[in-house]
Amino acid sequence: MELLKDKAKRRIPMQFEIYIVQPSISKSNNGKDILTLLGVTESFLKETSGINLKLFVVSE
């Protein structure tokens, strides 16, 4: 994916985003482990590729 992004950037400006839909997580019912994993994942994507992570959860 990184190789494709680099090749594409040379021709036209592009911005990538990754979306995660996680209906089993809600604002009132979330585990510390899951939040840690999502935070580390977001940091990794942002630091290595400049890709934003969007998370959709159940709103309660």
Side-chain angles (χ1 to χ4, degrees), residues 1-29:
M1 184 178 243
E2 190 69 30
L3 178 63
L4 291 174
K5 180 181 170 189
D6 288 340
K7 286 185 178 187
K9 261 183 150 176
R10 293 182 199 146
R11 295 188 181 147
I12 56 173
M14 299 183 91
Q15 182 178 356
F16 291 90
E17 292 182 334
I18 294 178
Y19 293 86
I20 296 176
V21 178
Q22 191 64 38
S24 63
I25 297 176
S26 68
K27 289 182 180 178
S28 63
N29 179 23

mmCIF file of all heavy atoms in Angstrom, residues 1-29:
data_model
loop_
_atom_site.group_PDB
_atom_site.id
_atom_site.type_symbol
_atom_site.label_atom_id
_atom_site.label_comp_id
_atom_site.label_asym_id
_atom_site.label_seq_id
_atom_site.Cartn_x
_atom_site.Cartn_y
_atom_site.Cartn_z
ATOM 1 N N MET A 1 0.831 -1.173 0.000
ATOM 2 C CA MET A 1 0.000 0.000 0.000
ATOM 3 C C MET A 1 0.886 1.250 0.000
ATOM 4 O O MET A 1 0.577 2.210 -0.687
ATOM 5 C CB MET A 1 -0.919 -0.030 1.213
ATOM 6 C CG MET A 1 -1.881 1.099 1.255
ATOM 7 S SD MET A 1 -2.975 0.991 2.660
ATOM 8 C CE MET A 1 -4.503 0.814 1.817
ATOM 9 N N GLU A 2 1.947 1.220 0.779
ATOM 10 C CA GLU A 2 2.850 2.360 0.843
ATOM 11 C C GLU A 2 3.501 2.638 -0.516
ATOM 12 O O GLU A 2 3.628 3.787 -0.931
ATOM 13 C CB GLU A 2 3.927 2.107 1.907
ATOM 14 C CG GLU A 2 4.771 3.302 2.224
ATOM 15 C CD GLU A 2 4.015 4.395 2.943
ATOM 16 O OE1 GLU A 2 3.065 4.102 3.688
ATOM 17 O OE2 GLU A 2 4.374 5.562 2.751
ATOM 18 N N LEU A 3 3.884 1.587 -1.221
ATOM 19 C CA LEU A 3 4.492 1.731 -2.543
ATOM 20 C C LEU A 3 3.510 2.366 -3.521
ATOM 21 O O LEU A 3 3.859 3.284 -4.268
ATOM 22 C CB LEU A 3 4.959 0.372 -3.068
ATOM 23 C CG LEU A 3 5.574 0.362 -4.453
ATOM 24 C CD1 LEU A 3 6.845 1.197 -4.484
ATOM 25 C CD2 LEU A 3 5.877 -1.060 -4.888
ATOM 26 N N LEU A 4 2.265 1.906 -3.506
ATOM 27 C CA LEU A 4 1.241 2.483 -4.386
ATOM 28 C C LEU A 4 0.996 3.949 -4.050
ATOM 29 O O LEU A 4 0.820 4.784 -4.936
ATOM 30 C CB LEU A 4 -0.058 1.693 -4.279
ATOM 31 C CG LEU A 4 -0.035 0.282 -4.846
ATOM 32 C CD1 LEU A 4 -1.348 -0.425 -4.539
ATOM 33 C CD2 LEU A 4 0.219 0.303 -6.338
ATOM 34 N N LYS A 5 0.969 4.247 -2.766
ATOM 35 C CA LYS A 5 0.748 5.623 -2.339
ATOM 36 C C LYS A 5 1.874 6.526 -2.854
ATOM 37 O O LYS A 5 1.614 7.613 -3.361
ATOM 38 C CB LYS A 5 0.674 5.684 -0.823
ATOM 39 C CG LYS A 5 0.437 7.058 -0.273
ATOM 40 C CD LYS A 5 0.403 7.031 1.238
ATOM 41 C CE LYS A 5 0.403 8.422 1.790
ATOM 42 N NZ LYS A 5 0.581 8.468 3.224
ATOM 43 N N ASP A 6 3.125 6.070 -2.723
ATOM 44 C CA ASP A 6 4.259 6.865 -3.198
ATOM 45 C C ASP A 6 4.204 7.097 -4.704
ATOM 46 O O ASP A 6 4.462 8.193 -5.185
ATOM 47 C CB ASP A 6 5.579 6.189 -2.824
ATOM 48 C CG ASP A 6 5.870 6.276 -1.339
ATOM 49 O OD1 ASP A 6 5.281 7.144 -0.660
ATOM 50 O OD2 ASP A 6 6.676 5.464 -0.856
ATOM 51 N N LYS A 7 3.865 6.065 -5.458
ATOM 52 C CA LYS A 7 3.766 6.205 -6.917
ATOM 53 C C LYS A 7 2.635 7.152 -7.307
ATOM 54 O O LYS A 7 2.775 7.974 -8.206
ATOM 55 C CB LYS A 7 3.564 4.843 -7.566
ATOM 56 C CG LYS A 7 4.819 4.012 -7.580
ATOM 57 C CD LYS A 7 4.602 2.725 -8.337
ATOM 58 C CE LYS A 7 5.897 1.943 -8.380
ATOM 59 N NZ LYS A 7 5.822 0.769 -9.227
ATOM 60 N N ALA A 8 1.509 7.022 -6.639
ATOM 61 C CA ALA A 8 0.352 7.855 -6.957
ATOM 62 C C ALA A 8 0.603 9.314 -6.589
ATOM 63 O O ALA A 8 0.136 10.224 -7.282
ATOM 64 C CB ALA A 8 -0.882 7.330 -6.239
ATOM 65 N N LYS A 9 1.333 9.560 -5.513
ATOM 66 C CA LYS A 9 1.608 10.922 -5.065
ATOM 67 C C LYS A 9 2.394 11.718 -6.101
ATOM 68 O O LYS A 9 2.286 12.933 -6.171
ATOM 69 C CB LYS A 9 2.424 10.888 -3.774
ATOM 70 C CG LYS A 9 1.634 11.079 -2.538
ATOM 71 C CD LYS A 9 2.589 11.090 -1.361
ATOM 72 C CE LYS A 9 2.086 11.938 -0.250
ATOM 73 N NZ LYS A 9 2.949 11.881 0.916
ATOM 74 N N ARG A 10 3.176 11.037 -6.873
ATOM 75 C CA ARG A 10 3.985 11.725 -7.878
ATOM 76 C C ARG A 10 3.113 12.312 -8.983
ATOM 77 O O ARG A 10 3.494 13.267 -9.637
ATOM 78 C CB ARG A 10 5.005 10.754 -8.481
ATOM 79 C CG ARG A 10 6.037 10.333 -7.484
ATOM 80 C CD ARG A 10 7.062 9.420 -8.095
ATOM 81 N NE ARG A 10 7.736 8.703 -7.027
ATOM 82 C CZ ARG A 10 8.176 7.485 -7.124
ATOM 83 N NH1 ARG A 10 8.047 6.803 -8.251
ATOM 84 N NH2 ARG A 10 8.785 6.899 -6.115
ATOM 85 N N ARG A 11 1.952 11.728 -9.197
ATOM 86 C CA ARG A 11 1.076 12.177 -10.281
ATOM 87 C C ARG A 11 0.007 13.147 -9.801
ATOM 88 O O ARG A 11 -0.220 14.176 -10.414
ATOM 89 C CB ARG A 11 0.420 10.969 -10.949
ATOM 90 C CG ARG A 11 1.457 10.106 -11.626
ATOM 91 C CD ARG A 11 0.829 9.024 -12.444
ATOM 92 N NE ARG A 11 1.886 8.226 -13.041
ATOM 93 C CZ ARG A 11 1.801 6.958 -13.272
ATOM 94 N NH1 ARG A 11 0.708 6.304 -12.972
ATOM 95 N NH2 ARG A 11 2.799 6.302 -13.818
ATOM 96 N N ILE A 12 -0.697 12.783 -8.745
ATOM 97 C CA ILE A 12 -1.734 13.654 -8.202
ATOM 98 C C ILE A 12 -1.694 13.580 -6.674
ATOM 99 O O ILE A 12 -1.363 12.548 -6.101
ATOM 100 C CB ILE A 12 -3.149 13.250 -8.693
ATOM 101 C CG1 ILE A 12 -3.441 11.788 -8.360
ATOM 102 C CG2 ILE A 12 -3.338 13.510 -10.151
ATOM 103 C CD1 ILE A 12 -4.864 11.358 -8.643
ATOM 104 N N PRO A 13 -2.029 14.662 -5.998
ATOM 105 C CA PRO A 13 -2.053 14.612 -4.529
ATOM 106 C C PRO A 13 -3.171 13.696 -4.048
ATOM 107 O O PRO A 13 -4.293 13.749 -4.557
ATOM 108 C CB PRO A 13 -2.307 16.057 -4.115
ATOM 109 C CG PRO A 13 -2.538 16.833 -5.351
ATOM 110 C CD PRO A 13 -2.334 15.959 -6.532
ATOM 111 N N MET A 14 -2.863 12.848 -3.086
ATOM 112 C CA MET A 14 -3.861 11.915 -2.565
ATOM 113 C C MET A 14 -3.825 11.922 -1.050
ATOM 114 O O MET A 14 -2.791 12.188 -0.444
ATOM 115 C CB MET A 14 -3.580 10.492 -3.059
ATOM 116 C CG MET A 14 -3.619 10.353 -4.552
ATOM 117 S SD MET A 14 -3.357 8.656 -5.033
ATOM 118 C CE MET A 14 -5.031 8.100 -5.071
ATOM 119 N N GLN A 15 -4.963 11.599 -0.466
ATOM 120 C CA GLN A 15 -5.059 11.460 0.977
ATOM 121 C C GLN A 15 -5.832 10.182 1.270
ATOM 122 O O GLN A 15 -6.904 9.952 0.706
ATOM 123 C CB GLN A 15 -5.773 12.664 1.589
ATOM 124 C CG GLN A 15 -5.862 12.588 3.076
ATOM 125 C CD GLN A 15 -6.522 13.816 3.662
ATOM 126 O OE1 GLN A 15 -6.852 14.764 2.967
ATOM 127 N NE2 GLN A 15 -6.727 13.798 4.955
ATOM 128 N N PHE A 16 -5.282 9.350 2.148
ATOM 129 C CA PHE A 16 -5.924 8.096 2.499
ATOM 130 C C PHE A 16 -6.483 8.174 3.906
ATOM 131 O O PHE A 16 -5.931 8.848 4.774
ATOM 132 C CB PHE A 16 -4.923 6.936 2.434
ATOM 133 C CG PHE A 16 -4.465 6.605 1.047
ATOM 134 C CD1 PHE A 16 -3.343 7.213 0.507
ATOM 135 C CD2 PHE A 16 -5.168 5.701 0.272
ATOM 136 C CE1 PHE A 16 -2.915 6.918 -0.767
ATOM 137 C CE2 PHE A 16 -4.751 5.401 -1.007
ATOM 138 C CZ PHE A 16 -3.622 6.012 -1.530
ATOM 139 N N GLU A 17 -7.582 7.455 4.132
ATOM 140 C CA GLU A 17 -8.158 7.300 5.462
ATOM 141 C C GLU A 17 -8.592 5.857 5.611
ATOM 142 O O GLU A 17 -8.993 5.216 4.638
ATOM 143 C CB GLU A 17 -9.353 8.220 5.660
ATOM 144 C CG GLU A 17 -8.996 9.682 5.697
ATOM 145 C CD GLU A 17 -10.191 10.573 5.949
ATOM 146 O OE1 GLU A 17 -11.329 10.174 5.619
ATOM 147 O OE2 GLU A 17 -9.995 11.683 6.470
ATOM 148 N N ILE A 18 -8.509 5.354 6.825
ATOM 149 C CA ILE A 18 -8.970 4.001 7.129
ATOM 150 C C ILE A 18 -10.138 4.129 8.096
ATOM 151 O O ILE A 18 -10.052 4.852 9.090
ATOM 152 C CB ILE A 18 -7.846 3.148 7.736
ATOM 153 C CG1 ILE A 18 -6.748 2.933 6.707
ATOM 154 C CG2 ILE A 18 -8.397 1.808 8.245
ATOM 155 C CD1 ILE A 18 -5.558 2.146 7.204
ATOM 156 N N TYR A 19 -11.211 3.431 7.784
ATOM 157 C CA TYR A 19 -12.409 3.449 8.617
ATOM 158 C C TYR A 19 -12.592 2.089 9.273
ATOM 159 O O TYR A 19 -12.507 1.060 8.607
ATOM 160 C CB TYR A 19 -13.648 3.765 7.773
ATOM 161 C CG TYR A 19 -13.649 5.163 7.218
ATOM 162 C CD1 TYR A 19 -13.014 5.463 6.014
ATOM 163 C CD2 TYR A 19 -14.266 6.193 7.909
ATOM 164 C CE1 TYR A 19 -13.005 6.748 5.506
ATOM 165 C CE2 TYR A 19 -14.263 7.485 7.406
ATOM 166 C CZ TYR A 19 -13.637 7.752 6.209
ATOM 167 O OH TYR A 19 -13.634 9.027 5.710
ATOM 168 N N ILE A 20 -12.865 2.101 10.572
ATOM 169 C CA ILE A 20 -13.182 0.872 11.304
ATOM 170 C C ILE A 20 -14.593 1.030 11.847
ATOM 171 O O ILE A 20 -14.901 2.006 12.532
ATOM 172 C CB ILE A 20 -12.202 0.640 12.472
ATOM 173 C CG1 ILE A 20 -10.778 0.432 11.951
ATOM 174 C CG2 ILE A 20 -12.646 -0.559 13.307
ATOM 175 C CD1 ILE A 20 -9.741 0.295 13.053
ATOM 176 N N VAL A 21 -15.445 0.067 11.540
ATOM 177 C CA VAL A 21 -16.798 0.037 12.087
ATOM 178 C C VAL A 21 -16.815 -1.062 13.137
ATOM 179 O O VAL A 21 -16.602 -2.229 12.823
ATOM 180 C CB VAL A 21 -17.848 -0.234 10.990
ATOM 181 C CG1 VAL A 21 -19.243 -0.310 11.593
ATOM 182 C CG2 VAL A 21 -17.773 0.834 9.915
ATOM 183 N N GLN A 22 -17.036 -0.680 14.390
ATOM 184 C CA GLN A 22 -16.972 -1.624 15.498
ATOM 185 C C GLN A 22 -18.228 -1.504 16.346
ATOM 186 O O GLN A 22 -18.261 -0.803 17.347
ATOM 187 C CB GLN A 22 -15.717 -1.330 16.336
ATOM 188 C CG GLN A 22 -15.390 -2.380 17.341
ATOM 189 C CD GLN A 22 -15.035 -3.702 16.708
ATOM 190 O OE1 GLN A 22 -14.382 -3.758 15.680
ATOM 191 N NE2 GLN A 22 -15.475 -4.778 17.316
ATOM 192 N N PRO A 23 -19.309 -2.199 15.953
ATOM 193 C CA PRO A 23 -20.565 -2.056 16.684
ATOM 194 C C PRO A 23 -20.539 -2.639 18.099
ATOM 195 O O PRO A 23 -21.383 -2.316 18.915
ATOM 196 C CB PRO A 23 -21.582 -2.802 15.813
ATOM 197 C CG PRO A 23 -20.789 -3.660 14.913
ATOM 198 C CD PRO A 23 -19.425 -3.054 14.800
ATOM 199 N N SER A 24 -19.558 -3.460 18.422
ATOM 200 C CA SER A 24 -19.522 -4.053 19.769
ATOM 201 C C SER A 24 -18.932 -3.101 20.806
ATOM 202 O O SER A 24 -18.975 -3.368 21.994
ATOM 203 C CB SER A 24 -18.725 -5.353 19.756
ATOM 204 O OG SER A 24 -17.379 -5.101 19.409
ATOM 205 N N ILE A 25 -18.412 -1.961 20.380
ATOM 206 C CA ILE A 25 -17.882 -0.960 21.298
ATOM 207 C C ILE A 25 -18.875 0.188 21.373
ATOM 208 O O ILE A 25 -19.393 0.639 20.367
ATOM 209 C CB ILE A 25 -16.524 -0.414 20.813
ATOM 210 C CG1 ILE A 25 -15.485 -1.514 20.766
ATOM 211 C CG2 ILE A 25 -16.046 0.703 21.724
ATOM 212 C CD1 ILE A 25 -14.149 -1.051 20.201
ATOM 213 N N SER A 26 -19.138 0.648 22.565
ATOM 214 C CA SER A 26 -19.985 1.826 22.733
ATOM 215 C C SER A 26 -19.265 2.812 23.636
ATOM 216 O O SER A 26 -18.261 2.484 24.270
ATOM 217 C CB SER A 26 -21.334 1.440 23.340
ATOM 218 O OG SER A 26 -21.164 1.004 24.680
ATOM 219 N N LYS A 27 -19.793 4.025 23.716
ATOM 220 C CA LYS A 27 -19.165 5.039 24.563
ATOM 221 C C LYS A 27 -19.185 4.633 26.029
ATOM 222 O O LYS A 27 -18.283 4.956 26.779
ATOM 223 C CB LYS A 27 -19.861 6.377 24.371
ATOM 224 C CG LYS A 27 -19.593 6.999 23.028
ATOM 225 C CD LYS A 27 -20.271 8.332 22.910
ATOM 226 C CE LYS A 27 -19.984 8.952 21.556
ATOM 227 N NZ LYS A 27 -20.662 10.235 21.394
ATOM 228 N N SER A 28 -20.232 3.921 26.444
ATOM 229 C CA SER A 28 -20.343 3.539 27.856
ATOM 230 C C SER A 28 -19.764 2.157 28.145
ATOM 231 O O SER A 28 -19.532 1.814 29.289
ATOM 232 C CB SER A 28 -21.811 3.580 28.289
ATOM 233 O OG SER A 28 -22.554 2.628 27.552
ATOM 234 N N ASN A 29 -19.525 1.347 27.113
ATOM 235 C CA ASN A 29 -19.054 -0.017 27.319
ATOM 236 C C ASN A 29 -17.817 -0.266 26.460
ATOM 237 O O ASN A 29 -17.906 -0.766 25.365
ATOM 238 C CB ASN A 29 -20.163 -1.018 26.954
ATOM 239 C CG ASN A 29 -19.715 -2.454 27.124
ATOM 240 O OD1 ASN A 29 -18.799 -2.753 27.872
ATOM 241 N ND2 ASN A 29 -20.366 -3.352 26.415
#
